[in-house]
Amino acid sequence: MTVQPGRGGPGRGEPGRVTHGRLVAPRTGIRSWWGKAWQRAVEEAAYVDHDLRAGRTIARRGEVGGISIAAGSLLAAVREGDDAWTVEVKVPVLAEEERRTLIEVVAAEAGRIAALLAGDLPYDLVEHAEEAGVELLPYGGELAAGCTCDTYLDPCRHALAVLIQTGWLVDADPLVLFAVRGLDRESLLAELHERSAGGGGAPRPSGVTDLADDVEVAADAVLRARRLVELMEAGAGLPDGLV
């Protein structure tokens, strides 16, 4: 993998950067296997247990601002007492060949994209990706952080808080993990759609028709959801055909 961190902050219009609002700790904790894998990586990254415990406390208190995610970059402000710090975490993104391989793995079995959009990360998808040389889930040594505080440890308690809350996002939506690795939701859908539509009039191999159907349904769902959010934010009524 290559490290290509996003440098723009929230609201700067950087392509692919998405800012998630302030988070509340999930009542049931981390439930998914991939969310737990992310949290294990955070634990591996921590140098001392004291900082890890402090990071958990900061995260659970809701003292992390909106987390802005772009390819290879997590950016957030963290409040602690009367002070506020800026944290940026860098995560290696997929190289172009790895990106193409991951798309092939997703496309290899009908239903995988639908599962991802439904908030599920099939275990066999990750296994097949690893067998093909693509590491989707990070390990502790890959999580490099910078913070404006004066702590010399990397990651500090503020960066750990950001990583812990990012784990909540990953737990709820595995495509956040894809976005961190450099393949956001819209790019994944677009490349799968292009793949399924390729070949002109030639007969499609077995399974490709199912993939095309999955991608069409997924793309339509994304467009509908985006339109619903726009209407709700504008305070407009919701058309019957859109829900």
Side-chain angles (χ1 to χ4, degrees), residues 220-234 236-239 242-243:
D220 181 67
V222 170
L223 291 173
R224 285 172 178 267
R226 182 184 299 167
R227 182 59 179 152
L228 281 170
V229 170
E230 290 173 352
L231 290 171
M232 291 172 66
E233 289 177 346
L238 302 181
L242 197 60
V243 294

Side-chain angles (χ1 to χ4, degrees), residues 1 94 98 101 105 127-136:
M1 292 186 184
L94 300 176
E98 293 172 317
T101 299
V105 169
E127 277 192 321
H128 293 167
E130 289 179 353
E131 291 169 1
V134 180
E135 295 287 341
L136 185 60

Side-chain angles (χ1 to χ4, degrees), residues 32 62 98 112 128 143 173 186 201 211 239:
S32 69
E98 293 172 317
R112 281 181 172 173
H128 293 167
L143 306 175
D173 182 3
E186 292 188 0
L211 171 63

